[in-house]
Amino acid sequence: MKVGSNIFKILLTLALAFFSCSKITPQFPEPEAETFGMDSWIEYLCSEECEGRLSGTAGNLKAYNYLVSELKKMGHSPETQTFEVEGKTLRNILVKVPGSIDSTIAIGAHYDGQWESKFRKHYPAANDNASGTVALLKIIQDLKSGTFSSKYSFLFCFWDGEENNFGGPLKGSKYFVKNYPDIKKVKYYTNLDGVAHKHETGFDMFYYGDVMEKKVVPHVQETSGLKFAMIVKKDKGEGASDYVPFAKLNIPIFAVKSDEKGGCLWTHHTIYDDPAAISYSTMKSIIDVVEDVVMFFN
């Protein structure tokens, strides 16, 4: 009876914790004075105009047009991969920056968001994944300004259709790896997905490939100064984000994200995933790691 009583107490505690968390409005980080120039991008992508950026919708198309416009302002000539899924038009955006050697570092983020909410017109989809989209814009901007550099070529990828709302998940990245003619030139792929939660419990790091396991992961642990709550090897085909199609082709992958399980800050696919939940300092920390790994390969 004592064992059963203890088990009952544990289950009761877990249930109370779950329901308490689910009913309490998440306590978002205080607004940060330094947004590193990323706040206007976040605000637009999470606006009513973009309507949650659900693939195949008018709001998603507005987000696409906005991203293309911002990339052109930076001096780039973005290319579009257009494809159909269940009668809906999806669009990947690709930005190529040539290097001194014919080998490519690919970095990507999905810009599509989620479906309509029962409580408001749309889920703003701020952390998932306006944050990764904006981090990718910032990395492109930093490369342009000389904040970091590489001898390798770059391929920056803005994916459509990552969410599992129709036609299955990872639609944009799956289409890309099947149709990109120079896929064999990709040295490694970095994924940016959910990179802006306040890091109360640390960061998560995912990787695949010997070079990542033996060289990059130890380097990041030693030099980044970040606390990692979880470091996980993603075996071929494992996972739920846009690195999966790359790993299936034995292309090394690397990703650092903010750990979403701290307290009641977890806002994934809810009405609370709005700009108020964004921690720009967290985003900047992850951007710094991604850029440092690029330099590490030099």
Side-chain angles (χ1 to χ4, degrees):
M1 291 297 293
K2 186 175 182 181
V3 173
S5 177
N6 287 338
I7 292 174
F8 174 77
K9 289 179 181 178
I10 292 171
L11 292 174
L12 180 61
T13 301
L14 290 173
L16 289 173
F18 172 80
F19 287 111
S20 295
C21 255
S22 64
K23 292 179 179 180
I24 297 173
T25 301
Q27 298 301 305
F28 299 128
E30 292 296 322
E32 297 172 353
E34 180 60 80
T35 62
F36 309 98
M38 296 185 283
D39 51 334
S40 61
W41 291 330
I42 286 286
E43 291 294 337
Y44 181 79
L45 291 173
C46 298
S47 67
E48 293 288 333
E49 188 171 351
C50 288
E51 300 176 339
R53 310 185 307 280
L54 181 68
S55 295
T57 65
N60 176 277
L61 179 58
K62 288 180 180 179
Y64 160 82
N65 287 328
Y66 175 75
L67 292 169
V68 169
S69 175
E70 291 300 298
L71 291 165
K72 287 181 177 179
K73 288 178 185 178
M74 294 182 195
H76 295 289
S77 300
E79 301 175 13
T80 301
Q81 282 185 323
T82 303
F83 57 103
E84 299 288 321
V85 178
E86 295 186 0
K88 301 180 187 294
T89 301
L90 280 70
R91 303 167 184 85
N92 291 334
I93 306 168
L94 307 178
V95 175
K96 300 176 183 177
V97 180
S100 59
I101 61 174
D102 194 24
S103 184
T104 302
I105 292 172
I107 307 175
H110 76 90
Y111 69 90
D112 63 303
Q114 292 96 48
W115 39 90
E116 290 185 354
S117 163
K118 295 179 181 179
F119 305 102
R120 60 198 288 182
K121 188 174 181 180
H122 66 271
Y123 291 160
N127 188 57
D128 184 20
N129 187 36
S131 69
T133 303
V134 167
L136 187 55
L137 284 173
K138 180 62 175 171
I139 290 169
I140 296 171
Q141 188 181 68
D142 286 351
L143 179 65
K144 188 79 173 178
S145 66
T147 299
F148 72 105
S149 62
S150 176
K151 62 186 178 182
Y152 293 97
S153 299
F154 285 95
L155 181 63
F156 300 105
C157 312
F158 296 82
W159 309 121
D160 198 357
E162 189 267 359
E163 298 290 356
N164 188 16
N165 36 46
F166 63 90
L170 317 180
K171 294 176 280 293
S173 52
K174 285 180 178 178
Y175 179 87
F176 171 82
V177 299
K178 290 180 181 178
N179 293 277
Y180 187 66
D182 293 325
I183 189 67
K184 291 183 178 179
K185 293 182 180 180
V186 175
K187 184 176 181 65
Y188 74 88
Y189 172 72
T190 288
N191 198 56
L192 297 163
D193 191 358
V195 297
H197 275 303
K198 185 178 181 182
H199 47 90
E200 288 192 346
T201 59
F203 295 81
D204 297 336
M205 181 161 49
F206 304 142
Y207 69 92
Y208 170 73
D210 287 345
V211 68
M212 296 300 175
E213 183 171 13
K214 295 176 182 178
K215 295 184 177 181
V216 173
V217 171
H219 170 75
V220 172
Q221 287 179 285
E222 292 171 6
T223 63
S224 68
L226 302 185
K227 172 188 173 185
F228 289 99
M230 182 169 62
I231 298 176
V232 179
K233 181 177 182 179
K234 291 291 183 180
D235 291 328
K236 254 184 18 173
E238 180 188 69
S241 195
D242 289 301
Y243 51 76
V244 171
F246 290 87
K248 283 187 175 181
L249 294 180
N250 285 321
I251 296 171
I253 64 101
F254 174 76
V256 173
K257 63 178 294 185
S258 51
D259 182 73
E260 69 275 1
K261 300 176 183 66
C264 292
L265 280 172
W266 183 220
T267 61
H268 186 63
H269 290 190
T270 74
I271 60 172
Y272 301 116
D273 188 10
D274 64 21
I278 294 294
S279 169
Y280 290 97
S281 61
T282 299
M283 292 173 67
K284 184 61 168 58
S285 295
I286 293 175
I287 289 168
D288 288 345
V289 169
V290 171
E291 294 177 354
D292 176 66
V293 170
V294 168
M295 298 290 287
F296 177 76
F297 274 97
N298 281 338

